[in-house]
Amino acid sequence: ANVAGGGLDEKSHPSVSSTAKARPAPGPPADDEDDEDAESGTDHASASQLVSAAAEYMRKNDYEGALQIYNYARSRCKVWDSALTELKVMSNRCLCLQRVRGRLPELVASCNETLRRIADLQREGGSGISEEMLLRMESACLSRRGNAYMQQQKTEEGRR
């Protein structure tokens, strides 16, 4: 299972490839099953494995690899086991984009999406996430987005 752009394969990253192989290809379900998890493509155990693998990549400063895993997890998981897991994936995706150079517009868009989700959770009463945790994640996203905006402005000024 080679993930485009980063060369993730089963020899160098067995936990990623075995999980990716176990998951069906994206697309509509093959048949109309009554099982909600099967219809939504949600496999919380696989999602948890993906998140753990991505966290390991981040610990090794392989932000491109972690970003690929977070992107895959986001595309596959439509219903998360918890709002905190979803928010961690979104927030860590922003961190990866910040660390990977040259993806400022994508970083800004990801931060905006994460900030919208945080605002939704705050309106819903936190969904089991402490106000402190929501504020920390919100602050991190605002900081990353502000940094990206500043870098983009400097880039444009350099072209004038």
Side-chain angles (χ1 to χ4, degrees):
N2 188 6
V3 180
L8 297 182
D9 60 38
E10 59 190 86
K11 290 178 185 171
S12 61
H13 309 293
S15 65
V16 173
S17 64
S18 63
T19 303
K21 284 182 179 179
R23 310 238 11 173
D31 58 324
D32 292 329
E33 298 179 34
D34 290 333
D35 181 6
E36 186 177 330
D37 279 353
E39 285 184 17
S40 68
T42 301
D43 178 348
H44 296 300
S46 290
S48 177
Q49 288 176 328
L50 288 169
V51 170
S52 294
E56 185 60 32
Y57 278 61
M58 288 179 67
R59 278 190 283 281
K60 295 177 181 178
N61 295 325
D62 182 355
Y63 295 102
E64 185 66 48
L67 179 61
Q68 289 178 13
I69 297 169
Y70 285 130
N71 286 341
Y72 182 77
R74 294 240 331 135
S75 71
R76 296 298 304 145
C77 193
K78 304 302 178 205
V79 179
W80 295 91
D81 62 340
S82 72
L84 182 59
T85 300
E86 177 189 17
L87 206 51
K88 283 182 179 180
V89 168
M90 295 175 81
S91 180
N92 285 343
R93 184 175 181 276
C94 292
L95 174 60
C96 290
L97 285 166
Q98 182 182 34
R99 299 291 172 93
V100 174
R101 301 290 178 209
R103 305 207 32 198
L104 296 174
E106 191 177 353
L107 171 57
V108 169
S110 185
C111 286
N112 286 338
E113 180 183 17
T114 304
L115 289 166
R116 281 190 297 273
R117 183 64 180 128
I118 290 169
D120 289 346
L121 290 169
Q122 288 170 329
R123 278 192 297 277
E124 296 167 8
S127 297
I129 305 172
S130 72
E131 184 64 23
E132 179 185 352
M133 176 67 77
L134 289 172
L135 288 172
R136 277 194 274 147
M137 290 182 155
E138 182 179 36
S139 296
C141 279
L142 288 168
S143 176
R144 290 181 186 122
R145 185 179 70 177
N147 187 299
Y149 279 143
M150 292 302 294
Q151 288 181 42
Q152 286 176 321
Q153 184 180 11
K154 289 179 184 176
T155 300
E156 289 178 18
E157 287 173 0
R159 293 181 180 167
R160 290 183 187 163

